[in-house]
Amino acid sequence: MNDASIGKTRFRVGGMDCASCATKIENAVTRLPGITEVGISVSAGTMTVSHRGPAPSAEISRQVKALGYSVASLGAARTAEPKAKAKAHEHGPNCSHDHDHSGHDHSGHAHDDHAGHDHKHDHDDHAGHDHSGHDHGPAAAESADTGHNHFDLDDGPWWKTRKARMTIACGAALIAAYAIGQLMPQLGHWAFLVALAVGLIPVARRAYAGAITGTPFSIETLMTIAAVGAVFIGATEEAAMVVLLFLIGELLEGVAARRARASIRGLADLVPKTALVEDGGTTREVPAESLALGSVILIRPGDRVAADGTVVEGSSTLDEAPVTGESVPKLKSVGDQVFAGTINTDAVLKVRVTATSADNTIARVIQLVEEAQESKAPTERFIDRFSRYYTPAVLVVGALVAVMPPLFAGGDWQEWIYKGLAILLIGCPCALVISTPAAIAAGLSAGARRGLLLKGGAVLEGMRRVTSVALDKTGTLTEGKPKVTDIVAVGRPEAKVLSLAAALETGSSHPLALAILGRAKADGVPIPPAAAAKAVAGKGVTGKVGGEEVFLASPKAADEMATLSGELKDQIAAFNAEGKTVSVLLADGRTIGLLAMRDEPRPDAIAALARLKEEGIATVMLTGDNEATARAIGKGLGISVRAGLLPDDKQRIVRELQQQGQIVAKVGDGINDAPALAAADFGVAMGGGTDVALETADAAILHGRVGDIPDMIALSKSVMGNITQNITIALGLKAVFLVTTIAGITGLWPAILADTGATVLVTANAMRLLAWRGR
């Protein structure tokens, strides 16, 4: 399929509410010349068509409209890089992002620069991707004459939809027929026939359109045969009632499908429609979608952030709960990343826009979820194959029940034909077919709202089987940026040591400088101005602060200038053994303090790893960092460690685990993780990661919480549990009604309830997953 001549085009399809709708459309479009593959997401209302040469949009529209759906093209679809190609990213040793940070010569910011380890959310570039799906363009309005207009289905109230109007008309006709039957009994039969026709003709038209485009055994076909058969044996009233119940069932399915759609589209509503742009000292209000990259926007307290960007001025706490589900507001200051849709709580911020509205985190989440819903899960594929044989089998069984007893056992023709028709209705596969995709779609939506992106049903189904999780260290188990962990003061207060060090580092963007400045800010330490501050290559930073000559140096450089006492040397050695980087502060040539820094584990790492252990899942840390640092972090987290690895070593270890029969999930965030992510059974990109990590991964954790890994596995278990319940409901109800029908206890209209009722129960059960919150 990696043929360059194959293009992909996306369409928005209206009125498609259940899986059998999707099957009909898929069969009809697949028959067109030049079409190689059709992917449909019922919950997103989208279809992606792979085709050779130019897209035959007119023919596709004609086929879909003939079936009674509305359709509008959304333009070319993005093609994701297939997993196999990821191997191209093995850049070898120089790519290892987990740099060695300890015992190094950390002088003059000539340190191994881990500024290159950029943790921005710049994921897989869907820039070329058309997000116009959210405002169904002018073409969207064209709804086929028989079509249920989906564009009002999503946007207007449900009772104004085509399906609702049909159901109401059929119901009204049925009530009128009852009234006529009471007043003029001789006309009763004809009145019910008219009521039946009101509901059945549109259904029969859809059955015919399905039959000529490759779906002869659709639910509409079973419905039409049963209703027409009932008329012939004089059960016209019941036939009309059955058609009404069928239409009500379809309407309820439509309402449920809208709820699932709204759940993920609701994310788009988090982004405000307008933004305040700063332009030459003045601010003006502009539409958020017109924001250009690099423009600076003003965010007042109480405002929602209008675009993904970086803070350029100000400091404030942001409530990220709507986007990430994170309940504790986060402090954001200059240089920090902010996301569209989060809420500024306490001070004015100025933010430089880093992503256009079609490409911000939320747009990408919606995009990924819609694409994921188009790819079928294994259970869904199995049920699709099953229903392909199941529906014709039901027709055969119905026919046998109708003719065998009268022919061979002297049964009453009318009674047994009636039972045979009831079996056709019981046999409708709707509830069974929707059981899996409804749960998968709800699970993908629930995950996305918590920042867990899974690329398709197969990943969502499979994650529950993971037995071993391999995690990267830098940026996955740790924050990816160093923090000041210890301050040792010699003859002066700690605050003074921190204050002088911060004075020298002001204005530097080096990770260790930012660690010192961050600690000074967190502790509320005043930062005096430094005069003539300059870096001394390979040694440290020097400058004058308050009349003193201050020098922040590496231990080696400090020892040359002012001999360090044995006690201090022991302290430095102890810090280095814990994987910490040490800087020594000298004032007028005398040692006045030590600052130890380390890239610390994420706050939830210990609890998350403990949860994985509870579930019986093995964990291992794979890192390019040196043994000492890795062991120190691993010991604190209680995880086994493999250190000093190159990208292909990580890949080799993943393969070794697989050979031992483990199902491996690999969690990482950098280029050096791409080969291992691609080799693992499930590759999970962490915290937005780099383009490559997100392209090669099967899933992504947008918000850098280690706890999201056990959550993702728990979500997979919840979804599979839900699918099992759904299949049990669908088949169980059918089995019960099959017995009662043959026994003569229930008739035609309870039989349609066995299908419609099961479909509604299954959909409602799947919708419960939308409330999933993780732990």
Side-chain angles (χ1 to χ4, degrees):
M1 266 288 302
N2 271 350
D3 185 345
S5 66
I6 288 183
K8 286 191 173 187
T9 308
R10 288 187 91 216
F11 295 85
R12 183 123 352 242
V13 179
M16 175 173 65
D17 300 323
C18 77
S20 56
C21 301
T23 308
K24 277 193 300 225
I25 295 171
E26 193 177 329
N27 290 344
V29 176
T30 308
R31 296 175 69 143
L32 292 171
I35 303 295
T36 57
E37 198 184 341
V38 179
I40 292 180
S41 162
V42 173
S43 44
T46 57
M47 165 172 75
T48 300
V49 180
S50 304
H51 46 81
R52 285 199 177 79
S57 294
E59 288 81 7
I60 292 171
S61 294
R62 209 170 14 255
Q63 287 285 64
V64 176
K65 285 180 179 176
L67 294 170
Y69 304 94
S70 52
V71 61
S73 171
L74 299 178
R78 176 179 72 89
T79 45
E81 172 181 343
K83 234 182 157 179
K85 270 180 34 196
K87 308 289 182 289
H89 299 294
E90 288 177 56
H91 299 314
N94 50 357
C95 208
S96 174
H97 267 353
D98 298 68
H99 300 301
D100 162 12
H101 255 280
S102 79
H104 243 335
D105 174 28
H106 272 290
S107 42
H109 301 313
H111 347 263
D112 44 335
D113 203 69
H114 128 191
H117 197 138
D118 180 78
H119 279 278
K120 288 195 190 66
H121 279 250
D122 44 1
H123 11 234
D124 52 331
D125 197 60
H126 317 194
H129 211 73
D130 182 1
H131 278 279
S132 51
H134 304 304
D135 49 81
H136 323 295
E142 2 161 356
S143 167
D145 44 352
T146 52
H148 338 287
N149 188 333
H150 167 72
F151 303 96
D152 66 29
L153 182 134
D154 260 5
D155 306 330
W158 64 267
W159 61 86
K160 285 192 178 166
T161 59
R162 175 95 189 178
K163 281 189 175 167
R165 291 201 297 270
M166 239 163 71
T167 309
I168 292 164
C170 184
L174 198 60
I175 292 167
Y178 268 112
I180 292 168
Q182 294 301 314
L183 301 172
M184 295 175 269
Q186 69 281 16
L187 292 179
H189 172 74
W190 301 105
F192 280 111
L193 207 53
V194 171
L196 171 66
V198 169
L200 190 62
I201 288 171
V203 174
R205 274 170 70 176
R206 271 159 43 205
Y208 173 72
I212 60 171
T213 53
T215 316
F217 301 112
S218 62
I219 174 156
E220 285 85 355
T221 309
L222 293 180
M223 197 55 241
T224 308
I225 295 171
V228 172
V231 173
F232 281 107
I233 58 167
T236 315
E237 287 179 40
E238 268 193 89
M241 188 66 192
V242 162
V243 171
L244 176 65
L245 288 170
F246 171 73
L247 291 174
I248 290 172
E250 280 218 308
L251 179 64
L252 290 173
E253 260 175 50
V255 171
R258 289 179 68 172
R259 271 203 54 198
R261 235 169 259 155
S263 141
I264 191 66
R265 293 280 174 76
L267 283 172
D269 299 336
L270 293 175
V271 184
K273 300 283 177 272
T274 61
L276 290 171
V277 171
E278 190 153 88
D279 200 4
T282 60
T283 54
R284 56 195 171 85
E285 196 168 40
V286 301
E289 55 205 39
S290 70
L291 288 172
L293 292 179
S295 48
V296 174
I297 54 176
L298 189 75
I299 299 152
R300 299 165 304 196
D303 284 356
R304 277 186 191 270
V305 178
D308 285 6
T310 314
V311 179
V312 289
E313 191 183 306
S315 172
S316 175
T317 47
L318 260 71
D319 176 6
E320 296 190 339
V323 182
T324 68
E326 186 64 74
S327 51
V328 183
K330 278 204 179 134
L331 179 68
K332 300 279 182 176
S333 46
V334 178
D336 287 338
Q337 183 84 5
V338 296
F339 304 111
T342 52
I343 302 162
N344 183 13
T345 57
D346 50 28
V348 176
L349 286 178
K350 285 184 186 172
V351 170
R352 176 164 286 112
V353 177
T354 55
T356 59
S357 68
D359 211 33
N360 64 29
T361 308
I362 286 183
R364 283 183 166 162
V365 168
I366 293 169
Q367 173 65 33
L368 275 168
V369 171
E370 290 191 350
E371 283 176 10
Q373 290 173 350
E374 284 171 13
S375 70
K376 288 190 177 177
T379 310
E380 187 179 344
R381 285 184 195 283
F382 169 73
I383 285 183
D384 278 355
R385 284 202 303 275
F386 175 73
S387 64
R388 207 164 298 149
Y389 301 109
Y390 171 83
T391 314
V394 165
L395 271 171
V396 172
V397 171
L400 292 176
V401 166
V403 300
M404 296 304 268
L407 281 179
F408 298 108
D412 175 45
W413 277 101
Q414 184 143 350
E415 179 194 340
W416 286 99
I417 287 175
Y418 182 85
K419 287 179 181 177
L421 294 174
I423 283 170
L424 292 189
L425 298 180
I426 292 168
C428 287
C430 247
L432 189 61
V433 176
I434 196 83
S435 59
T436 306
I440 295 273
L444 289 169
S445 293
R449 295 194 82 99
R450 293 263 312 141
L452 309 181
L453 294 185
L454 296 107
K455 291 190 177 173
V459 181
L460 183 54
E461 276 192 16
M463 283 294 284
R464 73 186 199 286
R465 298 196 309 272
V466 167
T467 57
S468 187
V469 179
L471 301 108
D472 182 27
K473 178 180 79 77
T474 309
T476 298
L477 284 169
T478 67
E479 297 278 7
K481 43 181 190 275
K483 284 194 170 130
V484 174
T485 54
D486 308 86
I487 300 171
V488 177
V490 181
R492 300 202 185 190
E494 267 185 29
K496 185 70 180 163
V497 172
L498 183 58
S499 164
L500 290 172
L504 288 180
E505 295 288 25
T506 301
S508 167
S509 62
H510 188 277
L512 297 176
L514 293 175
I516 291 171
L517 292 166
R519 175 69 184 259
K521 190 173 172 186
D523 291 5
V525 171
I527 303 177
K534 63 178 192 295
V536 181
K539 303 207 169 177
V541 195
T542 172
K544 265 187 129 56
V545 183
E548 282 185 294
E549 192 67 46
V550 186
F551 186 26
L552 185 63
S554 67
K556 188 167 161 242
D559 199 26
E560 286 166 12
M561 283 199 52
T563 315
L564 296 174
S565 68
E567 196 184 329
L568 280 178
K569 282 184 174 167
D570 291 347
Q571 182 72 69
I572 292 169
F575 284 143
N576 283 340
E578 288 172 20
K580 293 174 182 176
T581 299
V582 182
S583 290
V584 181
L585 188 67
L586 307 171
D588 291 335
R590 285 195 320 280
T591 306
I592 60 166
L594 307 177
L595 291 105
M597 287 160 273
R598 186 171 73 175
D599 178 13
E600 287 295 275
R602 292 181 183 270
D604 68 338
I606 294 177
L609 292 172
R611 266 181 70 192
L612 287 169
K613 232 171 234 138
E614 262 169 48
E615 299 277 332
I617 296 168
T619 55
V620 59
M621 179 202 290
L622 306 182
T623 177
D625 215 337
N626 66 18
E627 284 283 344
T629 309
R631 293 253 167 257
I633 296 272
K635 193 168 155 226
L637 292 175
I639 183 174
S640 61
V641 174
R642 305 281 293 267
L645 305 174
L646 300 178
D648 30 0
D649 296 330
K650 293 184 182 184
Q651 186 183 24
R652 191 194 73 246
I653 291 168
V654 166
R655 293 251 156 86
E656 281 167 11
L657 288 169
Q658 288 168 327
Q659 278 155 13
Q660 294 161 21
Q662 302 274 7
I663 306 282
V664 183
K666 167 73 178 79
V667 188
D669 75 324
I671 300 248
N672 59 338
D673 291 303
L677 286 177
D681 297 279
F682 300 99
V684 182
M686 183 82 165
T690 57
D691 280 0
V692 184
L694 218 112
E695 279 292 6
T696 50
D698 300 295
I701 290 171
L702 284 189
H703 306 297
R705 291 180 291 238
V706 187
D708 283 351
I709 301 162
D711 268 354
M712 202 175 257
I713 294 169
L715 175 63
S716 171
K717 287 179 175 166
S718 301
V719 168
M720 283 313 288
N722 193 284
I723 288 174
T724 310
Q725 292 162 7
N726 287 346
I727 293 173
T728 311
I729 293 170
L731 292 177
L733 271 176
K734 290 187 188 316
V736 169
F737 277 95
L738 191 65
V739 173
T740 57
T741 302
I742 290 177
I745 300 166
T746 54
L748 275 182
W749 65 270
I752 188 75
L753 285 179
D755 181 62
T756 300
T759 306
V760 171
L761 281 175
V762 160
T763 313
N765 187 42
M767 290 302 112
R768 287 186 332 164
L769 285 168
L770 290 175
W772 182 87
R773 285 280 169 273
R775 238 162 85 174

